[in-house]
Amino acid sequence: MKKIVLAYSGGLDTSCIVRWLTEQGNEVICFVADLGQGLGQGEDFAAIEERALAAGATKVYLKDLQDEFIEDFIIPALKANAVYEGKYLLATALGRPLIAKYLIDIAHKEKATTVAHGCTGKGNDQVRFEVTVGILDQKLEIIAPVREWEFKSREEEIEYAQTYNIPIDVTKKKPYSIDRNIWGISIEAGVLENLEQEPPEDCYLITKSPTQIMTYPKYIEVYFERGVPKKIDGKTYKLKKLINYLNEVGGFYGVGRTDLVENRLVGIKSREIYEAPAATILHIAHKELESLVLDRELAHFKEIVSLKYAELVYYGLWYSPLREALDSFVNSTQKYVTGSIKMKLFKGNCMAVSRKSPKSLYKKELSTYGKEDKFNQKLAEGFIKIWGMPYKR
Ligand code: ARG
């Protein structure tokens, strides 16, 4: 008999896992991480706990990790402009190492030798969980029941859950696999596997359809201090509130939908739909502000770092020396990233329309074509001659 701490979501897979592991004579303790999956509406954690116990868990830990998730994972990724394959803002990928960290913590507290997760053997999340556990405590054993159990379909799992009276909410269940947290939603499977089909409206949970928005544009001004969003329209917000607010407003204007065929770590391509209104608004605004305050060389070099940063997050290498080193670089670039960007949200679009910063490198007297021009155009002639000199034969 083993004492196993399971990363438990309350869904069908992890509920069946509780029963499956218990049946084999193990003691199962469930860990539910709150990363804001209620998306400001609140999640029914009491029902999740009840389900875990009904499935056979001896104990349930619930931890609100939202603030730590935001401060230690989301904000660093935002400062780094980390975007995977040009589109994915990494909500799921950022959450995994944090969940794994607490899974290990609870295993230590409970003197358990083993941890378990409900990820499929075809995905990235198994890698993120297990690599993190391996880095933070290589003595812990890891079990991934979905990779080895006998169930071949959702229906078989539902039947199994019903046999053991595990209260599963199957009627409301849409035919998608969904992962949610405060930074965004990842949606896959079902009809989305057909690349020729446009995602049906029913796969979206928090964004309105851009074609159905019958209203005027909405302007919002985001103020950043050293790369961190602090105010909206002049009002100071704590980060959790700020993100929840932008998810709500952005969602109402249809902002933050993405449809991506991505390269998974395990070598396959898969199609995933993402909804991330707040993350989209903040990424765009942050990048716009950087355009204003970072010099050309720093800005261009930072783009290379962004690419690498996003890969590390996607690949489950959060707790790696390179990620830490990149954070030091990124933090030093944020010294001047203070200022306000006014965004216009309309029919799924989100663009900057006004910019200001006390650290701006933009000098109107140099760029203007008007008569207040101070740029000495005569100097350009010599500059061009020297610039092109190496290429003349
Ligand atoms: N493709 C995303 C990633 O690897 C999300 C994975 C989870 N998606 C899901 N629909 N359950 O980070």
Side-chain angles (χ1 to χ4, degrees), residues 88 92-93 96 124-125 128 177-179 186-188 262 264 270 272 274 314:
Y88 171 35
T92 299
R96 299 313 187 188
N124 300 311
D125 290 326
R128 297 168 185 149
S177 160
I178 296 173
D179 181 69
S186 308
I187 309 143
E188 62 177 352
E262 71 195 40
R264 276 193 201 164
S270 67
E272 188 110 37
Y274 296 104
Y314 192 87

Side-chain angles (χ1 to χ4, degrees), residues 125-320:
D125 290 326
Q126 54 173 349
V127 182
R128 297 168 185 149
F129 272 122
E130 295 181 34
V131 165
T132 304
V133 172
I135 292 172
L136 299 181
D137 181 357
Q138 48 180 302
K139 285 201 215 66
L140 278 175
E141 186 201 356
I142 305 165
I143 308 186
V146 177
R147 288 203 296 247
E148 49 177 292
W149 68 15
E150 60 279 18
F151 307 122
K152 293 259 171 305
S153 65
R154 254 192 109 69
E155 287 66 37
E156 283 179 42
E157 285 180 47
I158 292 169
E159 212 173 285
Y160 180 77
Q162 282 167 347
T163 310
Y164 289 99
N165 292 320
I166 305 170
I168 287 296
D169 207 355
V170 277
T171 43
K172 264 176 35 194
K173 185 80 202 162
K174 297 229 178 81
Y176 304 110
S177 160
I178 296 173
D179 181 69
R180 293 183 306 183
N181 64 47
I182 191 169
W183 201 229
I185 308 182
S186 308
I187 309 143
E188 62 177 352
V191 290
L192 302 171
E193 288 168 3
N194 181 359
L195 300 191
E196 292 178 23
Q197 187 170 330
E198 180 178 352
E201 262 318 302
D202 78 346
C203 79
Y204 295 104
L205 303 178
I206 53 167
T207 52
K208 275 222 225 178
S209 167
T211 48
Q212 277 163 17
I213 294 161
M214 303 294 286
T215 174
Y216 296 107
K218 164 103 180 157
Y219 292 91
I220 45 169
E221 192 174 59
V222 187
Y223 170 76
F224 292 85
E225 221 171 83
R226 291 172 171 257
V228 182
K230 296 276 179 191
K231 296 181 195 173
I232 307 265
D233 296 330
K235 192 171 159 229
T236 305
Y237 283 83
K238 288 223 161 66
L239 282 168
K240 187 169 86 179
K241 272 231 164 86
L242 184 140
I243 295 171
N244 279 327
Y245 174 70
L246 290 181
N247 272 333
E248 205 175 298
V249 179
F252 187 82
Y253 286 87
V255 169
R257 291 184 173 191
T258 301
D259 177 350
L260 170 66
V261 177
E262 71 195 40
N263 288 294
R264 276 193 201 164
L265 198 45
V266 292
I268 51 182
K269 288 189 188 290
S270 67
R271 188 218 214 156
E272 188 110 37
I273 305 301
Y274 296 104
E275 287 183 284
T280 301
I281 295 167
L282 291 172
H283 264 273
I284 294 174
H286 179 260
K287 194 120 205 300
E288 289 285 347
L289 182 56
E290 285 193 335
S291 304
L292 204 59
V293 300
L294 300 188
D295 67 84
R296 181 182 63 207
E297 293 311 306
L298 187 55
H300 290 186
F301 191 79
K302 188 163 183 281
E303 287 190 22
I304 301 170
V305 170
S306 300
L307 206 63
K308 196 70 214 168
Y309 200 103
E311 278 180 4
L312 287 178
V313 173
Y314 192 87
Y315 296 170
L317 301 177
W318 181 267
Y319 289 105
S320 67

